Amino acid sequence: MARPARAWQKMLSGRRLDLLDPTPVDIEIEDIAHGLSFVARWNGQTLGDYAYSVAEHSLLVETLFGRLSPKAAAKWRLAALLHDAPEYVIGDMISPVKAAVGPGYDDLDQRLSAAIHIRFGLPAAIPATVRKQIKKADKISAWMEATQIAGFTNAEADRFFGRPDPKVMADLAILLRAPLETRAAYTDRTAALLAQTG
C-alpha cells in the first residue's frame, strides 16, 4: 500500500505547516520574512548583484499602497505587506506558469492567505475595496521592476501593467539588498504595523 504524499513543510522556527490545511498557529513572521527574502521575483531574470526578492517587492507594495490610500488603517497596510506572503512556501510563479498550472495554485494561495491573515489579526478575506488598492500598488511595483531591472521598455510595461502615475512613484527606486538585510527590514516593518494595529 502506497504511503500518502507528504503535504507539510518544516519551517526554520520548528513549525510544521500543512500546505493543504494550514492553520494560523503554525505561521510565524520570521518564517515568512526568511522565505520571502530568498524567493526571487521574475524567476531571477533581473539585473543586479542580488535577486529581487518577494520580500523587497512586498515592502515596496506596502509603501505604494500607503501613497495611494494615505488614510488607510495600519491593518490594511499590513495586508498590503502580506499580499504575497503565501509565496514563502509555494514560491513566486510568473503569470504564464500560473495560467498553465490552473486553479490548483489559486486554491492553495487562498487557503494560505486566509491562515496568514487570521494569524496577524486580519479578516480571512480582505475587503474588495482594499484588495483593489493593493492590486493597483502591486501593478505599479511590477511596472517599476519591469522597467528598472527586468529589461522591459516603458511601452512593454505599459501594455502589461498599465502606465502608473509618476507622482505615486516619485523618489522611489527598486532596492537590491542581501537577503538577510531584506529579511530584517520585512520583519521590522511587520512589527511596526502590528504595533499600530494593537
Side-chain angles (χ1 to χ4, degrees):
M1 193 164 177
R3 271 185 162 165
R6 179 171 64 89
W8 55 267
Q9 179 175 348
K10 187 167 183 176
M11 300 295 157
L12 288 178
S13 65
R15 297 285 188 186
R16 189 180 283 197
L17 182 66
D18 184 335
L19 301 179
L20 300 180
D21 187 23
T23 62
V25 296
D26 291 321
I27 292 166
E28 298 292 344
I29 196 60
E30 292 80 8
D31 293 331
I32 293 172
H34 183 82
L36 294 183
S37 296
F38 284 91
V39 174
R41 297 258 303 159
W42 305 92
N43 278 347
Q45 298 301 305
T46 52
L47 301 171
D49 293 336
Y50 296 104
Y52 187 69
S53 72
V54 174
E56 201 71 74
H57 161 78
S58 298
L59 288 161
L60 179 57
V61 168
E62 189 261 326
T63 298
L64 290 164
F65 174 81
R67 289 184 175 195
L68 292 169
S69 304
K71 294 183 180 176
K75 68 180 180 178
W76 303 135
R77 289 191 72 144
L78 179 61
L81 183 64
L82 295 170
H83 80 283
D84 278 341
E87 294 178 9
Y88 86 109
V89 287
I90 60 176
D92 179 38
M93 285 193 202
I94 60 173
S95 297
V97 175
K98 285 180 186 175
V101 170
Y105 180 89
D106 284 337
D107 292 345
L108 186 57
D109 183 81
Q110 287 172 13
R111 282 195 300 274
L112 284 163
S113 287
I116 290 165
H117 291 158
I118 292 167
R119 169 65 178 86
F120 297 106
L122 299 169
I126 302 301
T129 53
V130 176
R131 269 197 336 267
K132 185 177 177 184
Q133 287 297 88
I134 293 172
K135 188 65 184 167
K136 188 173 180 180
D138 194 32
K139 284 191 168 192
I140 295 169
S141 179
W143 189 94
M144 291 174 66
E145 295 162 29
T147 57
Q148 292 181 35
I149 58 171
F152 285 58
T153 65
N154 284 8
E156 288 172 322
D158 290 351
R159 190 166 61 250
F160 291 113
F161 309 111
R163 171 62 78 128
D165 180 350
K167 292 190 294 262
V168 177
M169 301 181 293
D171 55 340
L172 291 177
I174 298 299
L175 293 176
L176 297 171
R177 298 187 273 187
L180 298 186
E181 189 180 342
T182 304
R183 179 182 73 185
Y186 189 95
T187 305
D188 291 348
R189 186 60 185 148
T190 303
L193 290 169
L194 284 170
Q196 291 174 43
T197 62

